[in-house]
Amino acid sequence: MFAQVKYSKYHALGNDYLVISPENLAFELTPEKIQRICHRNFGIGSDGILFGPLPAKNAKFGLRIFNPDGSEAEKSGNGLRIFCRYLWDNQIVQEEEFEIDTLGGRVQGRVTESGRSVRVEMGRVSFQSEKIPVTGDSREVLQESITVADQIFSFCAATIGNPHCVIQLPEVTPEIAKQYGSLLEIHPYFPNRTNVQFMKVKDRQNIQIEIWERGAGYTLASGSSSSAAAAVAHKLNLCDSEITVHMPGGQIAIAISDDFTVTMTGSVTKVAEGLMSLEVFEY
């Protein structure tokens, strides 16, 4: 077993991930090990781990995405942009488009501006209850009521390979996301839990969101959350097909086609490369 594990760290608008290649790892990434690695005090600290590139049958690269609580995510927009940048930095890809296979489906990525900007075709958004999933009869889950603690919200649900609950409000704050996000994540309506976005529509081209991410908690930015919230805003005819999503960590550009296929473009910043000692698992 390696005495140290090589990793790369990036952030996408403050949403930070560690990229670990399988060739640099000689042990299984168990939930307990993932929790320790991602811990802000006892580990390196991150919002998750990107494990790849892996072999894939239907794409050039395979990728597994782990949340800091040790669970596995189907898809992460920021994580995918970071992984694309990692492939670029290691000269595995150039400026051509390439496909990545995730649990939430295949996506297409392209790195531009010398790695500083990454575009990802995230796939098609669905509002169908059985695909998200949301309990109850088969339907599009739009503007339904949900109760948590002392509050009744109107919500829409969507999937872009992972589940989302979008709640439109006149104003959104970190406090609202932190107060209600954890309760909505585990609400019985969502058998696989859910990501939560509290959304304010600013105008036809701009929305603002605060995010509670499944398995990670309050998050400064999220690509899949941006995609889902923008798709909901467009579905409700509150916004046009090109939307800038404003988050505490920065902005992401979302373009939505007629069939609700979403293309996301945003920045990625390299933070560090390092070696993690296996001593981190001893205490």
Side-chain angles (χ1 to χ4, degrees):
M1 180 180 291
F2 302 134
Q4 297 175 313
V5 177
K6 183 179 179 182
Y7 69 88
S8 299
K9 186 170 184 176
Y10 296 79
H11 79 80
L13 306 177
N15 192 203
D16 61 338
Y17 279 87
L18 305 174
V19 187
I20 299 177
S21 172
E23 66 183 17
N24 296 323
L25 196 69
F27 58 84
E28 182 184 358
L29 277 175
T30 63
E32 294 75 21
K33 284 186 168 61
I34 292 165
Q35 290 169 18
R36 178 55 62 93
I37 293 168
C38 294
H39 198 285
R40 299 287 178 184
N41 302 103
F42 295 104
I44 298 169
S46 74
D47 288 323
I49 294 174
L50 306 174
F51 187 55
L54 295 164
K57 290 183 178 180
N58 300 313
K60 191 168 185 178
F61 307 105
L63 175 65
R64 297 183 71 185
I65 305 166
F66 296 102
N67 296 315
D69 68 352
S71 61
E72 188 164 3
E74 300 95 337
K75 190 179 284 187
S76 164
N78 282 346
L80 282 161
R81 294 207 319 281
I82 286 171
F83 185 63
C84 290
R85 170 70 186 271
Y86 171 84
L87 296 174
W88 166 277
D89 285 345
N90 287 275
Q91 300 181 328
I92 300 171
V93 300
Q94 302 299 321
E95 291 191 356
E96 76 281 1
E97 286 194 350
F98 52 90
E99 289 191 333
I100 301 170
D101 192 29
T102 72
L103 281 180
R106 282 180 294 167
V107 303
Q108 286 188 324
R110 184 173 182 179
V111 182
T112 61
E113 297 180 21
S114 299
R116 297 300 180 91
S117 180
V118 180
R119 186 186 73 201
V120 177
E121 294 182 13
M122 290 287 289
R124 185 178 178 182
V125 174
S126 174
F127 308 96
Q128 283 296 132
S129 57
E130 65 271 24
K131 293 182 179 180
I132 297 167
V134 179
T135 58
D137 296 336
S138 177
R139 67 205 187 278
E140 285 195 330
V141 185
L142 300 171
Q143 296 179 309
E144 298 186 6
S145 294
I146 190 169
T147 302
V148 288
D150 59 346
Q151 188 68 41
I152 300 174
F153 293 109
S154 176
F155 81 102
C156 300
T159 179
I160 191 163
N162 59 351
H164 295 270
C165 169
V166 183
I167 293 173
Q168 183 191 355
L169 296 173
E171 297 293 336
V172 295
T173 65
E175 290 73 26
I176 289 173
K178 292 173 184 177
Q179 181 177 0
Y180 295 107
S182 61
L183 301 174
L184 288 161
E185 176 189 351
I186 61 172
H187 195 283
Y189 282 4
F190 307 106
N192 293 343
R193 299 188 294 162
T194 189
N195 301 283
V196 186
Q197 300 86 44
F198 298 88
M199 175 181 70
K200 174 184 178 180
V201 177
K202 298 165 72 72
D203 56 40
R204 298 290 301 182
Q205 289 82 36
N206 293 273
I207 63 173
Q208 175 188 351
I209 59 172
E210 291 284 349
I211 305 155
W212 182 271
E213 201 162 30
R214 181 186 57 168
Y218 180 74
T219 305
L220 295 176
S222 168
S224 63
S225 292
S226 296
S227 301
V232 165
H234 185 55
K235 179 74 171 179
L236 298 178
N237 196 29
L238 301 172
C239 288
D240 299 332
S241 61
E242 294 189 3
I243 301 170
T244 299
V245 182
H246 302 257
M247 297 165 286
Q251 301 175 10
I252 286 178
I254 300 293
I256 306 167
S257 68
D258 291 342
D259 67 351
F260 280 87
T261 296
V262 170
T263 301
M264 168 193 66
T265 305
S267 64
V268 175
T269 302
K270 185 172 185 178
V271 177
E273 290 185 350
L275 296 172
M276 178 183 66
S277 170
L278 298 190
E279 188 177 344
V280 72
F281 301 118
E282 295 179 5
Y283 300 98

